[in-house]
Coordinates of all heavy atoms in Angstrom, one line a residue:
V39 N -22.6 -10.3 17.8 CA -23.7 -9.7 16.9 C -24.9 -10.6 17.1 O -24.9 -11.7 17.1 CB -23.3 -9.8 15.4 CG1 -24.5 -9.4 14.5 CG2 -22.2 -8.8 15.1
L40 N -26.1 -9.8 17.4 CA -27.4 -10.5 17.5 C -28.3 -9.8 16.4 O -28.4 -8.5 16.5 CB -28.0 -10.3 18.8 CG -29.5 -10.7 19.0 CD1 -29.6 -12.2 18.7 CD2 -29.9 -10.4 20.4
A41 N -28.7 -10.6 15.5 CA -29.5 -10.0 14.3 C -30.9 -10.6 14.4 O -31.1 -11.9 14.8 CB -28.8 -10.3 13.0
F42 N -31.9 -9.8 14.1 CA -33.3 -10.2 13.9 C -33.6 -10.3 12.4 O -33.5 -9.2 11.7 CB -34.2 -9.3 14.6 CG -33.9 -9.2 16.1 CD1 -33.0 -8.2 16.7 CD2 -34.4 -10.0 17.1 CE1 -32.7 -8.1 18.0 CE2 -34.2 -10.0 18.5 CZ -33.3 -9.1 18.8
V43 N -33.8 -11.5 11.9 CA -33.9 -11.6 10.4 C -35.3 -12.1 10.2 O -35.9 -13.1 10.6 CB -33.0 -12.7 9.9 CG1 -33.2 -12.7 8.4 CG2 -31.5 -12.2 10.3
R44 N -36.1 -11.2 9.6 CA -37.5 -11.5 9.0 C -37.3 -12.3 7.8 O -36.7 -11.8 6.8 CB -38.3 -10.2 8.9 CG -39.8 -10.6 8.6 CD -40.6 -9.6 8.0 NE -40.1 -9.3 6.6 CZ -40.2 -8.0 6.1 NH1 -40.7 -7.0 6.7 NH2 -39.8 -7.9 4.8
V45 N -38.0 -13.4 7.7 CA -37.9 -14.2 6.5 C -39.3 -14.3 5.8 O -40.2 -14.4 6.6 CB -37.5 -15.7 6.7 CG1 -37.6 -16.6 5.6 CG2 -36.1 -15.7 7.5
D46 N -39.3 -14.1 4.6 CA -40.5 -14.1 3.6 C -40.3 -15.4 2.9 O -39.4 -15.7 2.2 CB -40.7 -13.0 2.8 CG -41.2 -11.7 3.4 OD1 -41.9 -11.7 4.5 OD2 -40.6 -10.6 2.9
A47 N -41.3 -16.5 3.1 CA -41.2 -17.6 2.5 C -42.0 -17.5 1.1 O -42.8 -16.7 1.0 CB -41.9 -18.6 3.3
L55 N -42.7 -25.3 3.3 CA -42.5 -24.8 4.7 C -41.9 -25.6 5.7 O -41.0 -25.2 6.4 CB -43.9 -24.3 5.2 CG -43.8 -23.1 6.2 CD1 -43.0 -21.9 5.7 CD2 -45.1 -22.5 6.6
L58 N -38.2 -25.6 5.2 CA -37.6 -24.4 5.7 C -37.4 -24.6 7.3 O -36.4 -24.3 7.8 CB -38.3 -23.1 5.4 CG -38.0 -21.8 6.0 CD1 -36.5 -21.5 5.6 CD2 -38.9 -20.7 5.6
E59 N -38.4 -25.1 7.9 CA -38.2 -25.3 9.3 C -37.1 -26.3 9.6 O -36.4 -26.0 10.7 CB -39.7 -26.0 9.8 CG -40.8 -25.2 9.8 CD -42.1 -25.9 10.3 OE1 -42.0 -27.1 10.6 OE2 -43.1 -25.2 10.4
E60 N -37.0 -27.3 9.0 CA -35.8 -28.3 9.1 C -34.6 -27.6 9.0 O -33.7 -27.8 9.8 CB -36.1 -29.6 8.3 CG -37.1 -30.4 8.7 CD -37.6 -31.5 7.6 OE1 -36.5 -31.9 6.8 OE2 -38.6 -32.1 7.7
A61 N -34.4 -26.9 7.9 CA -33.1 -26.1 7.7 C -32.8 -25.1 8.8 O -31.6 -25.1 9.3 CB -33.2 -25.4 6.4
V62 N -33.9 -24.4 9.3 CA -33.6 -23.5 10.4 C -33.1 -24.2 11.6 O -32.2 -23.8 12.4 CB -34.9 -22.6 10.6 CG1 -34.8 -22.0 12.0 CG2 -35.1 -21.7 9.5
R63 N -33.8 -25.3 11.9 CA -33.4 -26.1 13.1 C -32.1 -26.6 13.1 O -31.4 -26.8 14.1 CB -34.5 -27.2 13.3 CG -35.8 -26.8 13.9 CD -36.7 -28.1 14.3 NE -38.0 -27.7 14.4 CZ -39.1 -27.8 13.5 NH1 -38.9 -28.5 12.4 NH2 -40.3 -27.5 13.9
A64 N -31.6 -26.9 11.9 CA -30.2 -27.6 11.7 C -29.1 -26.6 12.0 O -28.0 -26.9 12.1 CB -30.3 -28.2 10.4
R65 N -29.4 -25.2 11.9 CA -28.3 -24.3 12.0 C -28.2 -23.7 13.4 O -29.1 -23.0 14.0 CB -28.5 -23.0 11.0 CG -28.7 -23.4 9.6 CD -27.5 -24.1 9.1 NE -26.3 -23.4 9.4 CZ -25.2 -23.6 8.9 NH1 -25.1 -24.3 7.7 NH2 -24.0 -22.9 9.1
P66 N -27.1 -23.9 14.1 CA -27.0 -23.5 15.5 C -26.8 -22.0 15.5 O -27.1 -21.4 16.7 CB -25.5 -24.2 15.9 CG -24.9 -24.6 14.7 CD -25.9 -24.8 13.7
E67 N -26.3 -21.3 14.6 CA -26.3 -19.8 14.5 C -27.6 -19.2 14.8 O -27.8 -18.1 15.2 CB -25.8 -19.3 13.2 CG -24.3 -19.8 12.9 CD -24.4 -21.2 12.1 OE1 -25.4 -21.8 12.1 OE2 -23.3 -21.5 11.6
I68 N -28.7 -19.9 14.3 CA -30.1 -19.5 14.5 C -30.6 -20.0 15.8 O -30.8 -21.1 16.1 CB -31.0 -20.0 13.4 CG1 -30.5 -19.5 12.0 CG2 -32.5 -19.5 13.7 CD1 -31.3 -20.1 10.9
V69 N -30.6 -19.1 16.8 CA -30.9 -19.5 18.2 C -32.4 -19.5 18.5 O -32.8 -20.0 19.5 CB -30.1 -18.6 19.2 CG1 -28.5 -19.0 19.1 CG2 -30.4 -17.2 19.1
R70 N -33.2 -18.7 17.8 CA -34.6 -18.7 18.0 C -35.2 -18.5 16.6 O -34.7 -17.8 15.8 CB -35.0 -17.5 18.9 CG -34.5 -17.5 20.3 CD -35.5 -17.3 21.3 NE -35.2 -17.2 22.7 CZ -34.2 -17.8 23.4 NH1 -33.4 -18.8 22.7 NH2 -33.9 -17.6 24.6
C71 N -36.5 -19.0 16.5 CA -37.3 -18.8 15.3 C -38.7 -18.9 15.7 O -39.1 -19.7 16.4 CB -37.0 -19.9 14.4 SG -38.0 -19.8 12.9
H72 N -39.5 -17.9 15.2 CA -40.9 -17.9 15.5 C -41.6 -17.5 14.2 O -41.2 -16.8 13.3 CB -41.2 -16.7 16.5 CG -40.7 -16.8 17.9 ND1 -41.3 -17.4 18.9 CD2 -39.6 -16.5 18.3 CE1 -40.5 -17.6 19.9 NE2 -39.5 -16.9 19.6
Y73 N -42.8 -18.2 14.0 CA -43.7 -17.7 13.0 C -44.3 -16.4 13.5 O -44.6 -16.2 14.6 CB -44.9 -18.7 12.8 CG -44.5 -19.9 11.9 CD1 -44.3 -21.1 12.5 CD2 -44.3 -19.8 10.6 CE1 -44.0 -22.2 11.7 CE2 -44.0 -20.8 9.9 CZ -43.9 -22.1 10.4 OH -43.4 -23.1 9.6
I74 N -44.5 -15.5 12.6 CA -44.9 -14.1 13.0 C -46.2 -13.7 12.1 O -46.5 -14.3 11.1 CB -43.8 -13.0 12.8 CG1 -43.3 -13.0 11.2 CG2 -42.7 -13.2 13.8 CD1 -42.4 -11.9 11.1
T77 N -46.2 -8.7 8.2 CA -45.3 -8.8 7.1 C -44.2 -9.9 7.5 O -43.7 -9.9 8.4 CB -44.7 -7.5 6.7 OG1 -45.6 -6.6 6.5 CG2 -43.8 -7.6 5.5
G78 N -44.2 -10.9 6.5 CA -43.1 -11.8 6.7 C -43.7 -13.2 7.3 O -44.9 -13.3 7.6
T79 N -42.9 -14.2 7.2 CA -43.5 -15.4 7.6 C -42.7 -15.9 9.0 O -43.4 -16.4 9.9 CB -43.0 -16.6 6.6 OG1 -43.5 -16.2 5.4 CG2 -43.6 -18.0 6.9
M80 N -41.5 -15.7 9.1 CA -40.7 -16.1 10.4 C -39.9 -15.0 10.7 O -39.4 -14.1 10.0 CB -39.8 -17.3 10.1 CG -40.5 -18.5 9.7 SD -39.2 -19.8 9.3 CE -40.2 -21.2 9.5
E81 N -39.4 -14.9 12.1 CA -38.4 -14.0 12.6 C -37.4 -14.9 13.2 O -37.7 -15.7 14.1 CB -39.2 -13.2 13.6 CG -38.1 -12.0 14.2 CD -38.1 -10.8 13.5 OE1 -38.9 -10.6 12.6 OE2 -37.3 -9.9 14.1
L82 N -36.2 -14.8 12.8 CA -35.1 -15.6 13.3 C -34.3 -14.6 14.2 O -34.1 -13.5 13.8 CB -34.2 -16.1 12.2 CG -34.8 -16.7 10.9 CD1 -33.8 -17.0 10.0 CD2 -35.6 -17.9 11.3
Q83 N -33.7 -15.2 15.2 CA -32.6 -14.4 16.0 C -31.3 -15.2 15.7 O -31.3 -16.4 15.9 CB -32.9 -14.5 17.5 CG -34.0 -13.6 17.9 CD -34.2 -13.7 19.4 OE1 -33.3 -13.8 20.1 NE2 -35.4 -13.3 19.8
V84 N -30.4 -14.5 15.1 CA -29.2 -15.2 14.7 C -28.0 -14.5 15.4 O -27.9 -13.3 15.4 CB -29.0 -14.9 13.1 CG1 -27.6 -15.4 12.6 CG2 -30.1 -15.3 12.4
V85 N -27.1 -15.2 15.8 CA -25.8 -14.8 16.5 C -24.6 -15.1 15.6 O -24.6 -16.1 14.9 CB -25.7 -15.4 17.9 CG1 -26.7 -14.9 18.8 CG2 -25.5 -16.9 17.9
F92 N -21.5 -12.4 10.0 CA -22.9 -12.4 9.8 C -23.2 -12.2 8.2 O -24.0 -12.9 7.7 CB -23.6 -11.3 10.6 CG -25.1 -11.3 10.3 CD1 -26.0 -12.1 10.8 CD2 -25.6 -10.4 9.3 CE1 -27.3 -12.2 10.5 CE2 -26.9 -10.4 8.9 CZ -27.8 -11.3 9.6
F95 N -22.6 -15.5 6.7 CA -23.6 -16.5 7.0 C -25.0 -16.1 6.1 O -25.6 -17.1 5.7 CB -24.0 -16.3 8.5 CG -25.1 -17.3 9.0 CD1 -24.8 -18.6 9.1 CD2 -26.2 -16.9 9.2 CE1 -25.8 -19.6 9.4 CE2 -27.2 -17.7 9.8 CZ -27.0 -19.0 9.7
T96 N -25.1 -14.8 6.0 CA -26.3 -14.4 5.2 C -26.2 -14.8 3.8 O -27.2 -15.5 3.2 CB -26.5 -12.8 5.3 OG1 -26.9 -12.5 6.6 CG2 -27.8 -12.6 4.5
V99 N -25.7 -19.0 3.7 CA -26.6 -19.9 4.4 C -28.2 -19.4 4.2 O -29.0 -20.0 3.6 CB -26.3 -20.2 5.9 CG1 -27.4 -21.0 6.6 CG2 -25.0 -20.8 6.0
L100 N -28.3 -18.2 4.8 CA -29.8 -17.7 4.9 C -30.4 -17.4 3.6 O -31.6 -17.9 3.4 CB -29.8 -16.4 5.7 CG -29.5 -16.5 7.2 CD1 -29.5 -15.0 7.8 CD2 -30.3 -17.4 7.9
L101 N -29.6 -16.9 2.6 CA -30.2 -16.7 1.3 C -30.4 -18.0 0.5 O -31.2 -18.0 -0.4 CB -29.3 -15.7 0.5 CG -29.4 -14.3 0.9 CD1 -28.3 -13.6 0.2 CD2 -30.7 -13.7 0.6
N102 N -29.8 -19.1 0.9 CA -29.9 -20.4 0.3 C -30.8 -21.4 1.1 O -30.9 -22.5 0.7 CB -28.6 -20.9 0.1 CG -27.7 -20.1 -0.9 OD1 -28.2 -19.9 -2.0 ND2 -26.5 -19.6 -0.4
L103 N -31.5 -20.9 2.1 CA -32.4 -21.8 2.7 C -33.5 -22.1 1.8 O -33.9 -21.2 1.0 CB -32.9 -21.1 4.1 CG -31.9 -21.0 5.2 CD1 -32.7 -20.1 6.3 CD2 -31.5 -22.3 5.7
P104 N -34.1 -23.3 1.9 CA -35.1 -23.6 1.0 C -36.4 -22.7 1.2 O -36.6 -22.5 2.4 CB -35.5 -25.1 1.4 CG -34.8 -25.4 2.8 CD -33.7 -24.3 2.9
V106 N -36.9 -19.7 0.6 CA -36.8 -18.3 1.1 C -37.1 -17.4 -0.2 O -36.3 -17.5 -1.2 CB -35.5 -18.0 1.8 CG1 -35.1 -16.5 1.9 CG2 -35.4 -18.8 3.1
D108 N -37.5 -13.6 0.6 CA -36.8 -12.4 0.8 C -36.3 -12.4 2.4 O -36.9 -13.1 3.1 CB -37.7 -11.2 0.7 CG -37.1 -9.9 0.7 OD1 -35.8 -9.8 0.4 OD2 -37.7 -8.9 0.9
L109 N -35.4 -11.5 2.7 CA -34.9 -11.3 4.0 C -34.9 -9.9 4.4 O -34.7 -9.1 3.5 CB -33.5 -11.9 4.2 CG -33.2 -13.4 3.9 CD1 -31.7 -13.6 4.0 CD2 -33.9 -14.3 4.9
E110 N -35.1 -9.6 5.6 CA -35.0 -8.2 6.2 C -34.2 -8.3 7.5 O -34.8 -9.1 8.4 CB -36.3 -7.5 6.3 CG -36.0 -6.1 6.9 CD -37.3 -5.3 7.0 OE1 -38.1 -5.4 6.1 OE2 -37.4 -4.8 8.0
T111 N -33.2 -7.7 7.7 CA -32.4 -7.9 8.9 C -32.2 -6.5 9.7 O -32.2 -5.5 9.1 CB -30.9 -8.3 8.5 OG1 -30.9 -9.5 7.8 CG2 -30.1 -8.5 9.8
R112 N -32.4 -6.7 11.0 CA -32.2 -5.5 12.0 C -31.2 -6.1 13.0 O -31.2 -7.3 13.2 CB -33.5 -5.2 12.7 CG -34.6 -4.5 11.7 CD -35.9 -4.6 12.3 NE -36.3 -5.9 12.3 CZ -37.1 -6.4 13.2 NH1 -37.8 -5.5 14.1 NH2 -37.5 -7.7 13.3
F113 N -30.3 -5.3 13.5 CA -29.3 -5.7 14.6 C -29.7 -5.0 15.9 O -30.2 -3.9 16.0 CB -28.0 -5.0 14.2 CG -27.5 -5.8 12.8 CD1 -27.7 -5.0 11.6 CD2 -27.0 -7.0 12.9 CE1 -27.3 -5.7 10.4 CE2 -26.6 -7.6 11.7 CZ -26.7 -7.0 10.5
S114 N -29.4 -5.8 17.0 CA -29.6 -5.4 18.3 C -28.4 -4.4 18.6 O -27.2 -4.7 18.3 CB -29.4 -6.7 19.3 OG -29.3 -6.2 20.6

Side-chain angles (χ1 to χ4, degrees):
V39 170
L40 172 61
F42 300 91
V43 181
R44 189 192 71 209
V45 175
D46 289 325
L55 206 50
L58 177 55
E59 289 175 1
E60 290 172 16
V62 164
R63 285 187 192 104
R65 297 306 310 204
E67 302 90 342
I68 302 171
V69 295
R70 299 232 189 314
C71 174
H72 295 270
Y73 280 108
I74 58 172
T77 305
T79 308
M80 293 177 165
E81 180 94 0
L82 312 178
Q83 288 183 25
V84 179
V85 293
F92 179 80
F95 182 72
T96 298
V99 176
L100 293 179
L101 289 171
N102 294 303
L103 290 173
V106 168
D108 192 24
L109 302 174
E110 180 181 313
T111 302
R112 293 162 295 149
F113 294 98
S114 171

